[in-house]
Amino acid sequence: MKKFWAWGALIFGLLYFILPLLGMTNFSLKMRRGVYSFDAYAVVLGDPRFQETFTYSILMALATIIFGVLLVVPTAYWVRLKLPGLRPYIEFITLLPLVIPAIVIVFGYIRLYNTSSWLPLTGSITGTNILLMFGYATLSLPYMYRSVDTGLRSIDIATLTEAAQSLGAGWTTILAKIILPNVLVAVLSGAFLTFAIVIGEFTMAALLNRPAFGPYMQLLGANRAYEPAALAVMSFALTWGCLGLIQLVSRFQKGAQSAA
């Protein structure tokens, strides 16, 4: 009986996700009357605004991942090594972006860093891009921190640190050449999640008036019929591609641990 309900829940879940996707994919292929074609996909891929916004979001995702790694890896390492009593508080802080809406965060940014403030980041394109990157890093913080913390849990950082220090290594060398390579798979998992979040994020980019992929999707959906469906299918494939890469690196990590 338990297997019956388990299979029933699985089939319901698959239908819940797959049926809308099939319907959307079918609609996106009907741009040319009477035949199936990839015209909607060709129009989207050939749109200069798509190329501009997608490139911008990819660059912002890479900047966010680099900033997140530089922020989270040393913090999680130091908390585990020297300040284990602060772990519950750090975990609580990293969970806050899950309960604070993005619109609240971005309105706080605009309020604090507008052109009449002591640090007018919104007064220039570079400053606004930096502000947007901070916002993306905040949204991805729960996932990046937990990925890195899980990776650190699987290694003996105290022994590795003592061994490195006995050979004369400094903190920067320990982090860059010993800790980071040992948690690289966990960092990659957090990086893929961050990439998926940045590519699909709308609120922050729209309110900060930056040419990101999320606002472009919303604009296209308000003015076209078939192209938004094609764009949604492509975004869905991109997101699942990131999830597939996470599974791949997780299997690689398990294989490496088994071999060790």
Side-chain angles (χ1 to χ4, degrees):
M1 195 64 180
K2 287 183 179 179
K3 287 186 177 180
F4 171 78
W5 287 111
W7 277 104
L10 178 62
I11 293 172
F12 176 78
L14 290 176
L15 292 177
Y16 181 81
F17 284 105
I18 291 177
L19 283 182
L21 181 62
L22 289 177
M24 186 168 57
T25 305
N26 181 58
F27 181 74
S28 69
L29 297 173
K30 290 186 174 180
M31 188 175 184
R32 191 182 304 175
R33 188 179 298 274
V35 296
Y36 286 103
S37 71
F38 290 98
D39 288 0
Y41 295 87
V43 171
V44 169
L45 293 175
D47 188 353
R49 290 179 302 170
F50 166 78
Q51 299 164 9
E52 177 189 357
T53 56
F54 194 64
T55 303
Y56 176 83
S57 288
I58 288 177
L59 293 177
M60 288 301 297
L62 294 176
T64 304
I65 289 169
I66 293 172
F67 176 74
V69 171
L70 293 177
L71 174 68
V72 170
V73 173
T75 303
Y77 166 72
W78 194 254
V79 169
R80 275 201 163 270
L81 184 67
K82 296 290 186 181
L83 305 168
L86 290 183
R87 280 194 63 205
Y89 304 101
I90 299 296
E91 289 184 354
F92 173 75
I93 292 172
T94 59
L95 285 175
L96 286 178
L98 294 178
V99 297
I100 299 176
I103 193 171
V104 174
I105 297 174
V106 74
F107 270 127
Y109 284 164
I110 294 172
R111 178 76 175 173
L112 284 174
Y113 304 113
N114 59 45
T115 53
S116 59
S117 69
W118 61 277
L119 187 59
L121 289 176
T122 58
S124 65
I125 293 177
T126 303
T128 310
N129 287 338
I130 293 173
L131 205 57
L132 183 60
M133 184 197 69
F134 287 159
Y136 286 156
T138 302
L139 294 180
S140 61
L141 185 60
Y143 312 101
M144 178 64 84
Y145 183 83
R146 265 145 196 80
S147 297
V148 174
D149 191 55
T150 302
L152 289 173
R153 194 183 306 165
S154 64
I155 61 176
D156 189 349
I157 60 173
T159 302
L160 290 173
T161 302
E162 289 176 3
Q165 286 179 327
S166 67
L167 294 173
W171 290 112
T172 305
T173 303
I174 293 173
L175 276 170
K177 295 186 176 180
I178 297 174
I179 300 300
L180 187 59
N182 277 286
V183 297
L184 187 58
V185 176
V187 171
L188 287 176
S189 297
F192 290 136
L193 287 171
T194 301
F195 183 83
I197 291 171
V198 173
I199 290 297
E201 204 281 332
F202 167 77
T203 306
M204 288 187 170
L207 292 179
L208 290 174
N209 195 28
R210 300 306 303 137
F213 190 56
Y216 170 73
M217 289 180 63
Q218 188 276 333
L219 181 65
L220 199 66
N223 297 286
R224 303 288 183 85
Y226 298 97
E227 290 89 340
L231 201 57
V233 172
M234 292 164 60
S235 302
F236 191 83
L238 185 63
T239 303
W240 276 94
C242 290
L243 294 176
L245 288 174
I246 292 174
Q247 292 296 323
L248 187 65
V249 296
S250 299
R251 290 189 178 185
F252 175 76
Q253 183 182 31
K254 291 178 181 177
Q257 289 175 348
S258 300

